[in-house]
Each structure stands twice: as C-alpha cells, then as structure tokens.
C-alpha cells in the first residue's frame, strides 16, 4: 500500500501489513515536532508534494527494498497539507518472517524516502515560514 | 516548454509554472539551470537543485524538449 | 506503558507514544506465524506468564533502554492466553526526537524481552503441542 | 518451601506448585536444582533452567529459605 493522503489511519496501515507468514511488523511513524533543528516554536507545518513523481519514487524504493529483504507486506503512506504538532505525517511499515528484516527494511524505507521523494515541508514559526533544508 | 515549480522554487519564481520563452534555447538540464540562475539568482543559493524529466530525476546532460514534463526539485524534506 | 493484557490495542499504544518533542515513533508488533522453525501447521498458541516477575523484568528493560537512549515515551505490552495465527502477541514502541534512536531502542527492547521476560509460548499442531525453546 | 512452576516445568512435574519436603535440605539454588534433577530427570533435559528468587533471576549460590518466593524459569519464549 503506497499512497499520499490527507490523514493517516494507523489501523488501515496495520491491517495492510498482516500476513499469515509474517512474525514481525515494524512500523515507523513520523510526527510533527514542536522544535526544528536549532529553532523552537513551530506552530504548524505544510507538506507539498509533486504527487505523481512522489508515488513513482515511493514505488521504486519499495521495489529496491523487496529485492534486499524478504518482505511479505509493505506500507508507505505520506500526508500532504497542513499538520499540527504531534500529528503523524508519514507511516512506513514492513512485515517479514523474522523481525530483524522488518526493522532493517522499515528503516531503509524512511531513510530513503527522506532523501529522494519529492515532498516539501514548510515550517511556520510565530514570525516567519521556512522551507526545510532549502538553504545551506 | 513549461517548468513545474514546487516548494521554495515556487516562492522564488513567484508562480507554480514557468514558461520558457520560445526564443530561449535550453536543450539540456545544464542549459536550463544556467538560464534559470540568470533569471532568478535566488535559485542558485539553494543547497541543491535537481531537475525531474518525466517525473524522474534527470542527469545534467539529459535532453529537454517541449514534449517532456519538466520540474524543478529543490531539496526535499518529507517524512 | 508496560502491561500484560489479553488483547492488544494498537491505537492505545500509539496514543501512549505521542509526545510534542517526539519526531519519530518506532513500533514493533509480533504476530503469530503459521509455521515455526522447521515445522508447519501451527493452529494456535497459548502464552503463559509469571506475571509479577514478567512485569518487573519489562520495567527493568525499560529502565536500561532509557539510560541508553533519550526516549520520550515507551510502550511494552505482551498478551497472555490463547492466540490464533495472525493475531498480535506483543507490541513494543518508543518515541524519540530522532528516528534512529527510536528504531534502535525498539529493537533492543524486543530482542531483550525475548531473552529474559518469563513468558512461555506453547504451539499447537494437529498432532502435538510444543513449549517453544524448551529443548536443545 | 514451595516452588512455583511454569511452562514445560509444570508439565514435567505434573503440577504448578511443588512443595519441598521439610526433611530435604536445599539451602541454595544449586542444591535445589540437584534435588529437582533427581526427582524429575526430565528437567535436566531442558535447554536451560533458571531459578527466580523473589521474582528476580538468582545465581547458583543464592540462598533459599521458606520466606522467599522461589520459581523455576524454563527457557522463555515470549514475543
């Protein structure tokens, strides 16, 4: 299950990961923190995506992960739009027969998603907005 | 040819779709970026700027033409 | 949140992991597989625990993890009783500012739980029952 | 002194609580295990057998007496 949504449903993600031969499910949920690197007071965030390309990149990462690990089921869901502190913005999940593969593949997918999937985060502070990572 | 803009590139250019004038010759990703940096110096201050052609990351030498979907990809920050 | 239950509620675990300074939540869910090591045809499982000691061991593991990683919130929930294939039997979760700490601490907790927490799994096959790990 | 039994040790002994007769002297974990292996040879075939005293894993030399809660801990298999 790979998709872009406005709101994450953890139960839906968990259900999509169930498989009779899976002994372990690793889920990663990224949430909005109230402080970004070196700054405090994030009040909200906006996520914008280049949607068709983001989905293609997510599918490509999933394919790479499936070659590296014996994954039974896989979930990559990212939200777009406005989020408040504490809200989930991304959920990644893998189910495998053995738990180490679930942890390793789940971590790979979130690490790579953050590097290559064309989604952008704008942080709102009291007095300014910042597109995260844009400037050195 | 039109260039799709996202995130901070949209703010720098002031719109989400930038037409490249017909008299401007940009045949490759490198040529497109050179032209953009002249027009919008703010783009050169970004920590990185990639170009996607047909929704795939392109190399500097990738050929461009008006039949292709071209987009600027500033540093991503999803997740 | 550390407890022994009859049924795992994933939403409850997720809620307990939320924290405004947490950017990442790692969840591990262990489920009943339909084949154990080398054998096939598990029809159900029973989990039995030495409950007060199991809770003490889980608390001790949590304390060790909190010393090793800057954990904001932590969940360790294990079920006892009869489970069918596919049902969740354990859920471990940690929330941290940075995702690597969440993955590492979550994996540590499930690895150590499986080594030391006094809970026993009995597998039912068509023709026999087996206490897992009992014999060399 | 009574010994709490769990998992396969309960099946081997045939009950979930084993009283140690008053005339049997078991002052340490090691002495308890020696006595148990004589009475229930099946226990010695397990891949491991720990003893918990007051709900904590005990060492071989840990002292036992009837005021303490003593339990056999066969190989665990939770998770």
């Amino acid at each position: 299950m790979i998709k872009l949504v406005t709101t994450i449903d953890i139960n839906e993600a968990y259900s999509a990961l169930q498989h009779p031969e899976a002994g372990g499910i690793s889920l990663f949920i990224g949430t909005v923190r109230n402080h970004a690197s070196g700054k405090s007071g994030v009040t909200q965030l906006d996520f914008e995506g280049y949607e068709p390309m983001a989905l293609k990149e997510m599918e490509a990462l999933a394919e790479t992960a499936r070659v590296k690990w014996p994954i039974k089921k896989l979930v990559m869901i990212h939200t777009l739009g406005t989020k408040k502190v504490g809200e989930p913005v991304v959920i990644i999940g893998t189910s495998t027969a053995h738990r180490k593969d679930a942890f390793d593949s789940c971590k790979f997918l979130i690490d790579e998603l953050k590097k290559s999937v064309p989604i952008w985060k704008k942080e709102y502070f009291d007095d300014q907005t910042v597109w995260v990572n844009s400037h050195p | 040819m039109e260039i799709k803009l996202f995130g901070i590139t949209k703010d720098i250019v002031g719109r989400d779709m930038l037409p490249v004038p017909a008299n401007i010759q940009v045949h490759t990703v490198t040529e497109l970026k050179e032209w953009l940096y002249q027009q919008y110096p703010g783009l050169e201050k970004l920590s990185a700027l990639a170009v996607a052609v047909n929704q795939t990351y392109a190399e500097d030498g990738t050929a461009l033409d008006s039949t292709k979907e071209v987009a600027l990809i500033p540093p991503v920050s999803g997740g």
Side-chain angles (χ1 to χ4, degrees), chain A residues 30-52:
Chain A
T31 58
V32 176
R33 272 194 293 161
N34 67 356
H35 61 288
S37 42
K39 300 186 288 287
S40 66
V42 174
T43 53
Q44 71 170 55
L45 292 92
D46 270 358
F47 286 90
E48 175 183 329
Y50 181 10
E51 298 193 30

Side-chain angles (χ1 to χ4, degrees), chain A residues 13-81:
Chain A
Y14 173 68
S15 297
L17 290 165
Q18 292 190 301
H19 187 286
E21 290 166 25
I25 294 172
S26 178
L27 276 172
F28 175 81
I29 302 154
T31 58
V32 176
R33 272 194 293 161
N34 67 356
H35 61 288
S37 42
K39 300 186 288 287
S40 66
V42 174
T43 53
Q44 71 170 55
L45 292 92
D46 270 358
F47 286 90
E48 175 183 329
Y50 181 10
E51 298 193 30
M53 181 175 167
L55 290 168
K56 277 172 83 165
E57 284 292 315
M58 288 158 81
E59 296 281 0
L61 293 178
E63 186 52 34
T64 302
R66 287 183 186 285
V67 170
K68 290 169 74 88
W69 292 279
I71 294 170
K72 302 292 182 192
K73 293 289 193 76
L74 182 152
V75 164
M76 299 180 84
I77 301 172
H78 202 294
T79 59
L80 297 177

Side-chain angles (χ1 to χ4, degrees), chain B residues 22-74:
Chain B
N23 64 324
I24 301 297
Q25 301 292 311
V26 289
H27 301 293
T28 64
V29 166
T30 297
E31 288 176 19
L32 173 64
K33 286 171 79 170
E34 284 169 0
W35 177 72
L36 286 166
Y37 289 156
Q38 284 182 332
Q39 304 295 308
Y40 304 97
L43 293 176
E44 208 162 358
K45 296 182 181 143
L46 300 177
S47 23
L49 184 63
V51 172
V53 176
N54 291 344
Q55 302 169 5
T56 302
Y57 285 103
E59 307 286 325
D60 286 347
T62 300
L64 303 179
D65 66 62
S66 59
T67 68
K68 293 177 177 165
E69 183 173 315
V70 180
L72 293 193
I73 311 288

